[in-house]
Amino acid sequence: MYPRPTKILSKSKLRAAWNASRDSSADVGRPGLDGITAARFGANLDHNLTVLAEQLQKNIYGPAPLKAIFIPKPNSDKERMICIPTVRDRLVQRTIIAYLNRTRILPIYHSSSFGFLPQRGTNAAINLAVSYRQSFDWCLKTDIESFFDKIPRHYLKVCVEKALGRHSLVPIINRTIDCEVKLTDRNRSKFYRQGIKAGTGIRQGMPLSPILANLILSSFDKNVERRGLSMVRYADDIVVFTPSKEEAKATHAFVGKLLDDIKLSIPGLDSESKTQILGPDDPIDFLGREIVRVGIEQRAVWRVSKKQIAKIVRRLEDEYTLEARLKDGSNFQDTIIDVRNSIAAYFSIYKGAHNFPTLDTELHGANRRIIRDIFFDLFGENAFTNITLEQQKFLGISRIDLDETDHEFIA
């Protein structure tokens, strides 16, 4: 028998997690399968927290099935499945996360792991990768195939129990691991089209999933580090830096064997593979950045790749068309503010890029073209015929934008 989580999942702890969550803000998550919105849950918060705490302490709480949402992938005919827990279930999971982060009780804090961990993240991962690139000429770049969808649940539960012992959270975490999408006549074919098997993997969209993903790779991280390999891992994305091509190949075999032991895999080495062995002069695409060597001194830096900049520009120009904004119920003033806020967010993400001036030029150019195209859609292509340069400047566009028919840049 396991003890009950009387203190860890008390009403006060649930309330603290609620106050710190997205669901208590203006940017709420979607409702789960029960249809209860965050606003509705919050409107009767005290009562809902009382009921939920009692269920947890009496050991009669169980997570509801997940609601599946299918979102088209950009520039693809494929879809991405997002699994949405109910508001109360994600509150329970966030309360558990707060405890796990505070106590650091799980063995997931390795020097090579950066995804979904406090005080780590993308920038820290990139900075370490750049540092390694300065010292090593070769790199193995790979990712774990269908990582979340192929995690073996039995092994994950073994990891949970090994880490927590007879802890009160074990039964709830195990039930969360077993949480599955509610299949219907409408979503069944889409679910199986994703290559997902019921009973295997942990579903993305649950707050606990990223921590559990790090846990199942804890022994993998430890064994890589014991071998003395210079690895940076962010979830399923892996780069390992080596002195020679031969060692990079040997590392591929070693990493593959470690993952095979826990029923996971990486792609093989062939021309069509996502696995790459990269030499001294090859750029390394990692976490949306491109790690390269520049100048006479061959200093390692990171930049935003040409492909990534084009993707950002395309996303902005697709999102802020007149048609899309009218559909969202937005006006022109809102659009101007939203575009600039989006661009500011990208600047914040990529502020350390070696080619930041290029990014700045391209995104400000996208901003001007968005305004231009909205005016064209509203007033026709002759709308600017009699507008002076000073008036163009006032509108935030230029003669170049008006005459532009093709758009290229150098990253």
Side-chain angles (χ1 to χ4, degrees):
M1 290 289 292
Y2 291 90
R4 295 178 184 178
T6 306
K7 294 182 179 179
I8 296 172
L9 296 177
S10 65
K11 182 178 177 180
S12 63
K13 293 292 195 300
L14 291 167
R15 186 183 296 277
W18 171 266
N19 290 336
S21 75
R22 172 185 174 187
D23 284 332
S24 68
S25 72
D27 184 28
V28 298
R30 299 188 189 190
L33 203 63
D34 60 3
I36 296 175
T37 63
R40 181 178 165 189
F41 188 93
N44 199 15
L45 183 63
D46 192 72
H47 171 75
N48 288 331
L49 295 180
T50 298
V51 171
L52 185 53
E54 288 179 356
Q55 289 176 343
L56 288 160
Q57 290 161 24
K58 291 178 181 178
N59 200 28
I60 58 174
Y61 164 83
L66 302 165
K67 179 180 179 181
I69 297 293
F70 295 89
I71 301 171
K73 291 184 178 181
N75 308 308
S76 172
D77 57 356
K78 297 181 179 179
E79 293 180 306
R80 185 187 308 279
M81 184 179 77
I82 302 297
C83 302
I84 305 175
T86 62
V87 173
R88 69 161 198 154
D89 288 345
R90 52 191 189 240
L91 174 58
V92 170
Q93 292 183 42
R94 285 168 178 153
T95 310
I96 293 172
I97 290 169
Y99 169 79
L100 295 175
N101 286 340
R102 185 173 66 253
T103 60
R104 294 172 68 96
I105 195 171
L106 294 181
I108 57 177
Y109 301 93
H110 301 282
S111 61
S112 58
S113 178
F114 289 84
F116 319 118
L117 293 171
Q119 285 79 55
R120 299 221 181 164
T122 303
N123 288 338
I126 291 295
N127 289 337
L128 182 58
V130 168
S131 174
Y132 283 149
R133 187 52 160 170
Q134 191 67 53
S135 302
F136 295 97
D137 283 342
W138 292 86
C139 174
L140 167 70
K141 177 184 178 296
T142 190
D143 63 7
I144 303 172
E145 296 180 296
S146 303
F147 176 42
F148 282 87
D149 295 335
K150 290 187 177 180
I151 288 174
R153 292 182 182 179
H154 172 73
Y155 178 71
L156 179 55
K157 290 177 185 178
V158 169
C159 293
V160 170
E161 295 186 13
K162 183 178 179 181
L164 299 181
R166 308 303 293 175
H167 198 287
S168 61
L169 291 179
V170 170
I172 298 173
I173 292 175
N174 284 345
R175 289 177 204 147
T176 302
I177 291 170
D178 285 330
C179 228
E180 198 55 88
V181 166
K182 173 73 173 178
L183 294 180
T184 67
D185 291 340
R186 294 183 64 183
N187 71 19
R188 193 180 307 274
S189 62
K190 288 186 176 183
F191 177 85
Y192 290 116
R193 204 177 301 145
Q194 302 285 322
I196 299 171
K197 294 181 180 179
T200 300
I202 50 176
R203 301 295 167 246
Q204 295 184 69
M206 299 190 298
L208 265 174
S209 293
I211 285 182
L212 294 174
N214 275 331
L215 178 61
I216 202 165
L217 291 176
S218 178
S219 63
F220 167 79
D221 292 337
K222 189 183 300 182
N223 285 321
V224 168
E225 291 172 11
R226 279 177 180 166
R227 193 176 175 101
L229 294 173
S230 299
M231 178 179 79
V232 183
R233 182 182 67 79
Y234 193 105
D236 56 341
D237 288 313
I238 298 170
V239 286
V240 189
F241 295 85
T242 64
S244 68
K245 186 174 184 178
E246 291 70 25
E247 289 187 55
K249 289 181 178 179
T251 297
H252 176 266
F254 176 72
V255 167
K257 175 63 171 63
L258 288 180
L259 291 171
D260 184 63
D261 289 343
I262 55 176
K263 309 302 180 187
L264 295 170
S265 62
I266 55 175
L269 289 171
D270 59 65
S271 59
E272 301 299 321
S273 175
K274 293 177 72 174
T275 295
Q276 297 175 299
I277 290 181
L278 302 164
D281 299 324
D282 295 322
I284 301 169
D285 290 318
F286 186 52
L287 304 180
R289 280 79 165 169
E290 191 173 59
I291 300 170
V292 295
R293 288 170 166 173
V294 297
I296 298 174
E297 297 178 352
Q298 289 292 281
R299 180 170 62 94
V301 299
W302 71 268
R303 67 188 183 192
V304 192
S305 69
K306 181 176 179 179
K307 180 179 178 182
Q308 182 69 5
I309 294 177
K311 184 177 179 181
I312 293 169
V313 168
R314 187 165 55 247
R315 184 181 299 151
L316 288 169
E317 293 181 346
D318 288 346
E319 183 176 353
Y320 294 107
T321 63
L322 176 62
E323 181 181 2
R325 299 301 285 175
L326 289 174
K327 188 176 181 180
D328 288 344
S330 300
N331 59 38
F332 181 68
Q333 186 177 21
D334 292 337
T335 299
I336 295 296
I337 294 170
D338 290 346
V339 172
R340 290 183 178 173
N341 285 342
S342 293
I343 290 174
Y346 283 118
F347 285 160
S348 177
I349 292 169
Y350 297 114
K351 62 184 177 182
H354 182 71
N355 63 337
F356 188 86
T358 299
L359 178 69
D360 180 271
T361 298
E362 292 306 315
L363 296 198
H364 278 113
N367 180 38
R368 295 193 303 270
R369 288 191 302 278
I370 287 167
I371 297 171
R372 175 203 67 186
D373 290 345
I374 288 175
F375 271 89
F376 279 166
D377 288 341
L378 285 169
F379 306 115
E381 294 192 6
N382 295 322
F384 297 98
T385 302
N386 299 317
I387 288 183
T388 66
L389 291 174
E390 186 178 34
Q391 290 167 337
Q392 292 169 27
K393 184 177 179 181
F394 175 77
L395 290 173
I397 58 176
S398 69
R399 176 57 57 189
I400 293 174
D401 299 312
L402 296 178
D403 294 340
E404 189 178 59
T405 56
D406 196 16
H407 182 56
E408 294 184 0
F409 57 86
I410 299 173

